[in-house]
Amino acid sequence: MDALGSIIGTRLPSPTNFINMSSRCMAIRLASQDNLSHCSVTYRRHILAKASPPSKVVLQKAGSKYQGLGCRCSASETVSCMTNDDTSQKSTQRKRLAVFVSGGGSNFKAIHEATKQGLVHGDITVLVTDKPGCGGAEYARDNQIPVVIFPGSKSSPDGVSAAELVATLRKFEVDFLLLAGYLKLIPIELVQAFRRSILNIHPSLLPAFGGKGFYGLKVHEAVIGSGARYSGPTVHFVDEQYDTGRILAQRVVPVLTDDTAEQLAARVLSQEHQVYVEVVTALCEDRIVWRDDGVPLIRSRDNSDKLY
């Protein structure tokens, strides 16, 4: 399989489980585990055929809904499917991400590390901040990630307008916007330009303890003061208001009887880093699906019939 992979310019997993192979040619279909009739990802198709002499292989590209190697010899056409857990990741282009921060950017750093380790099939191409001196902006500069200041102010004369920000993100060919501790309200121009493409993470179980003024320790103080027994982070799509977009994922942590706001914040933050990376991973693999009533769900990588 390594030899075949080197010929066609694709790394093929081993062992490969062939369902069908003819004596005169073979076909391998590199497809997702999704049922082919329900595959939501657009693939390319490659054609591999044996030629004479036997050692010569002809590779030809053709348009198709699926990616694979199809038989084009005189024998009956055969197609063999190959199982690969990471197919959805390998079959899609790497996504280009913009991250928005106002502070230290711990979630930004967690996502960036995941992209470097290959866990997220995407790259952070630009950082947006309203505080050019914050820890997240310094981290971006240290990692050669361009920094854009938004919005502009007297203290940040280099800041851009909403229209300029949209144009800048288009220039960077950004696919998704990820808010990671960004405290400003996202302008309507941005929401409309990137509909269903902006995510935020909030440190409570929305819709509780969300909205304007609920950020940082204020959220955790309110949770403890209410007597709530559970809290946790929420990842949601962004609309024109604070924390009212459709919920995509949540994690639950206990609120202990003797918790301080700082202790609860640390417990929630550890879950934030995990759930945000998991959601961005699914986002970059095109595994977000929308229910008929407008609720977003995540399709399991291991079982295409499972949504959560």
Side-chain angles (χ1 to χ4, degrees):
M1 294 311 298
D2 289 340
L4 176 59
S6 65
I7 291 171
I8 66 175
T10 301
R11 185 177 182 276
L12 300 178
S14 182
T16 300
N17 299 319
F18 290 98
I19 297 173
N20 204 352
M21 180 186 295
S22 79
S23 60
R24 300 184 60 183
C25 69
M26 65 180 176
I28 311 165
R29 184 181 294 277
L30 302 177
S32 83
Q33 292 187 86
D34 296 355
N35 186 298
L36 296 183
S37 64
H38 295 88
C39 181
S40 61
V41 183
T42 301
Y43 296 107
R44 293 188 307 275
R45 182 181 174 113
H46 295 72
I47 306 304
L48 176 67
K50 275 193 173 182
S52 182
S55 60
K56 182 180 179 181
V57 176
V58 177
L59 181 64
Q60 176 184 5
K61 291 184 179 180
S64 175
K65 183 178 180 181
Y66 309 110
Q67 174 181 359
L69 301 178
C71 167
R72 280 294 183 272
C73 75
S74 59
S76 299
E77 178 167 337
T78 61
V79 175
S80 300
C81 294
M82 178 176 66
T83 301
N84 177 6
D85 287 346
D86 295 328
T87 305
S88 61
Q89 174 172 324
K90 294 181 179 179
S91 299
T92 58
Q93 291 185 345
R94 291 183 70 85
K95 298 299 189 292
R96 298 172 65 84
L97 311 172
V99 179
F100 288 53
V101 303
S102 291
S106 66
N107 276 300
F108 162 42
K109 296 172 184 176
I111 295 169
H112 184 240
E113 283 300 316
T115 65
K116 292 196 300 182
Q117 295 171 13
L119 301 176
V120 171
H121 195 59
D123 301 291
I124 298 174
T125 58
V126 61
L127 180 94
V128 179
T129 182
D130 61 317
K131 297 181 178 180
C134 70
E138 292 299 326
Y139 176 87
R141 295 187 188 99
D142 290 343
N143 286 272
Q144 293 75 53
I145 298 173
V147 176
V148 174
I149 302 170
F150 174 80
S153 65
K154 291 182 179 179
S155 60
S156 303
D158 295 333
V160 299
S161 67
E164 290 170 332
L165 179 59
V166 171
T168 299
L169 296 175
R170 295 297 192 201
K171 180 180 177 181
F172 279 100
E173 299 181 331
V174 167
D175 296 299
F176 299 109
L177 283 56
L178 311 174
L179 311 190
Y182 185 73
L183 302 183
K184 296 291 185 180
L185 184 66
I186 298 300
I188 189 170
E189 296 94 329
L190 209 60
V191 175
Q192 292 177 345
F194 291 90
R195 183 71 65 179
R196 289 187 171 181
S197 298
I198 311 176
L199 288 178
N200 180 50
I201 189 162
H202 183 78
S204 75
L205 295 174
L206 293 176
F209 309 105
K212 187 174 182 179
F214 279 99
Y215 61 89
L217 288 180
K218 293 182 179 180
V219 173
H220 306 296
E221 290 169 351
V223 170
I224 293 171
S226 74
R229 292 339 192 233
Y230 297 95
S231 189
T234 298
V235 179
H236 65 94
F237 281 91
V238 172
D239 58 16
E240 292 83 358
Q241 305 298 322
Y242 282 109
D243 305 326
T244 58
R246 294 288 191 167
I247 292 171
L248 181 57
Q250 294 180 312
R251 293 291 185 274
V252 177
V253 303
V255 180
L256 305 182
T257 56
D258 57 350
D259 261 343
T260 64
E262 289 79 8
Q263 290 171 329
L264 179 57
R267 194 176 305 120
V268 171
L269 186 62
S270 67
Q271 291 299 311
E272 287 185 38
H273 295 165
Q274 294 180 38
V275 69
Y276 215 176
V277 168
E278 290 175 11
V279 167
V280 175
T281 298
L283 191 69
C284 291
E285 294 175 4
D286 296 326
R287 290 191 287 111
I288 308 300
V289 298
W290 292 82
R291 214 165 58 188
D292 290 342
D293 59 359
V295 172
L297 302 170
I298 299 174
R299 186 184 300 280
S300 170
R301 178 192 286 175
D302 300 322
N303 181 356
S304 62
D305 294 327
K306 181 179 179 181
L307 301 174
Y308 58 91

